[in-house]
Amino acid sequence: MRHLWLTLILWASCATGILAQRKITDDRLLRDGDLLFVVTVHENAITEVTQGVKALPIDHVAVFHRHDGQPMVIEANYKGVTETTLEDFLRQSHTVVVGRVKGKIDWDTTSARLHAQRGKPYDFIFMPDNGEVYCSELVQTSYTDRRGQMIFPPIPMSFHNEKGEVTPYWKDFYSRRGLEVPEGKPGSNPGEMSRRKCVKIKYLLTSFAK
């Protein structure tokens, strides 16, 4: 297996919120199906209306897996549903929270569903069932347990701030496209997904790449 020089910071759930550092020299602590939640440096329109675990500003999620022993990532980004190496993924990401799905995942079925969506275009308007896919939608529609049940049932979509008001950004975003804001429509977002009870936060992952 091709090793990567990574820094994994073990997540500490103590009251102080301090993270204990743990350095490793390869990716063997990661497992197929681990979720890679990207923490953005600056708040944006997505993090303004959603909240990640520990109140982190999370605006993207991808899936780790191995292909022929190589550490890979599959994700829905602006290029569509793509597969890339973990190394390349980390070059584009600042900090990544690694979440492990608890319970009995049917990984064969989940993996097949993930890869069946490769090549689909990115869903820039975050609408359900339109043949396009956004990042957390890829996870939400693919992950299944051994009973064939969805691990991440859809939730009402949120485009409102803490006051319950749809933000001006999203009002303008959909208005310019002749659409209504899909507030409350079934969907998902990466921040809320990171807070699900079925997700155990394992590490903070940062890249060695310059």
Side-chain angles (χ1 to χ4, degrees):
M1 180 178 67
R2 173 172 160 272
H3 289 176
L4 298 173
W5 285 93
L6 307 175
T7 300
L8 279 174
I9 306 176
L10 185 63
W11 186 271
S13 58
C14 57
T16 60
I18 296 174
L19 298 176
Q21 293 190 7
R22 180 183 180 188
K23 294 182 179 180
I24 64 169
T25 57
D26 59 51
D27 57 276
R28 287 178 293 182
L29 289 183
L30 301 180
R31 299 179 185 175
D32 284 346
D34 278 352
L35 298 175
L36 308 179
F37 296 101
V38 175
V39 181
T40 183
V41 178
H42 304 291
E43 187 177 80
N44 55 41
I46 293 176
T47 59
E48 185 181 5
V49 297
T50 63
Q51 187 178 65
V53 65
K54 301 291 184 180
L56 291 171
I58 292 171
D59 66 356
H60 184 61
V61 61
V63 179
F64 174 83
H65 72 106
R66 298 182 194 279
H67 180 74
D68 293 335
Q70 300 299 311
M72 303 293 291
V73 173
I74 186 168
E75 61 179 325
N77 58 31
Y78 293 154
K79 297 179 181 179
V81 180
T82 62
E83 186 176 34
T84 187
T85 66
L86 177 62
E87 183 175 4
D88 285 344
F89 175 78
L90 291 175
R91 281 200 180 98
Q92 302 171 51
S93 305
H94 178 67
T95 300
V96 175
V97 175
V98 180
R100 185 158 297 157
V101 181
K102 297 184 288 187
K104 298 180 179 180
I105 301 178
D106 182 344
W107 176 244
D108 288 341
T109 299
T110 297
S111 179
R113 289 182 174 184
L114 288 166
H115 284 85
Q117 299 192 68
R118 285 182 60 186
K120 284 188 176 181
Y122 185 75
D123 187 357
F124 288 93
I125 58 174
F126 312 107
M127 292 290 189
D129 305 321
N130 63 354
E132 300 176 341
V133 185
Y134 57 91
C135 68
S136 56
E137 184 180 25
L138 176 67
V139 175
Q140 188 261 314
T141 58
S142 298
Y143 274 62
T144 184
D145 64 22
R146 296 178 185 175
R147 298 173 299 169
Q149 301 296 312
M150 296 177 69
I151 291 176
F152 296 101
I155 60 166
M157 297 190 74
S158 167
F159 296 89
H160 63 267
N161 57 25
E162 57 188 14
K163 296 180 181 179
E165 303 168 342
V166 175
T167 63
Y169 174 91
W170 291 113
K171 287 180 180 178
D172 180 65
F173 179 90
Y174 284 100
S175 175
R176 285 187 283 109
R177 291 162 176 79
L179 299 170
E180 293 185 1
V181 180
E183 175 76 12
K185 297 290 185 182
S188 62
N189 69 73
E192 188 277 338
M193 191 170 281
S194 73
R195 296 187 285 109
R196 297 257 184 144
K197 291 181 178 179
C198 64
V199 175
K200 182 177 182 179
I201 299 303
K202 297 291 290 184
Y203 313 106
L204 281 180
L205 174 64
T206 57
S207 174
F208 66 92
K210 302 298 183 181

